[in-house]
Amino acid sequence: MIIQIYRSEINMDVFKTVETIEGLESFLEKNRPPEEIRKELDLSYRIEGSSVIIFELRPFWNNPDEIMECNIAKATYVKSKGYWKVFWQRADLKWHSYSPCTTVKNIKEFVRLVEEDSYGCFWG
């Protein structure tokens, strides 16, 4: 598992960061594939500034020694409003607002949306 946190870019307060990491770690515990296939497919996340991105890790089809990241979902914390904006990545590789639920109150609601994926946006 790879967890990337760019500390110099974190602009959330410490409490929110700890809450975020705990929520994402809980998501990984529940959703990561079995250990024996994690070289072929795994889940991870990274924190960039006030955003978190959940992504898959898998080897390139033509170069198994090189690992690629496939973005699944993104949430950006809006401190002035006290909520998270939810995004999904379309085939154009741009982040788009998740229309069924554009904002959530906390990271637990975000990971619940990603797990449920009732519109098939995150997991396809």
Side-chain angles (χ1 to χ4, degrees):
M1 168 179 51
I2 297 173
I3 300 171
Q4 301 169 351
I5 301 173
Y6 301 98
R7 294 187 191 284
S8 62
E9 298 177 9
I10 293 177
N11 57 13
M12 293 183 280
D13 60 32
V14 174
F15 175 74
K16 189 59 74 176
T17 303
V18 170
E19 178 184 311
T20 300
I21 291 170
E22 287 175 351
L24 291 166
E25 287 295 320
S26 175
F27 169 80
L28 287 182
E29 281 180 38
K30 209 159 72 168
N31 294 285
R32 283 182 81 191
E35 189 146 355
E36 58 270 11
I37 68 163
R38 289 184 187 165
K39 287 183 180 181
E40 301 300 320
L41 176 66
D42 203 355
L43 285 177
S44 191
Y45 68 89
R46 77 174 150 271
I47 299 174
E48 296 179 345
S50 56
S51 295
V52 298
I53 299 171
I54 297 173
F55 58 93
E56 288 181 341
L57 294 163
R58 57 178 65 224
F60 278 95
W61 67 273
N62 60 350
N63 185 1
D65 295 331
E66 193 174 339
I67 303 298
M68 68 176 169
E69 296 178 2
C70 302
N71 292 326
I72 296 170
K74 176 180 174 180
T76 300
Y77 186 66
V78 181
K79 190 173 186 174
S80 63
K81 304 281 187 186
Y83 60 65
W84 293 84
K85 290 168 59 175
V86 181
F87 301 93
W88 66 291
Q89 195 171 61
R90 296 183 67 162
D92 63 5
L93 300 180
K94 294 180 182 178
W95 291 107
H96 297 266
S97 184
Y98 184 62
S99 295
C101 186
T102 58
T103 63
V104 292
K105 294 178 187 173
N106 56 53
I107 207 71
K108 289 181 182 177
E109 288 182 25
F110 168 63
V111 297
R112 191 175 7 221
L113 273 180
V114 174
E115 288 174 333
E116 290 172 0
D117 194 19
S118 55
Y119 286 79
C121 294
F122 303 119
W123 303 104

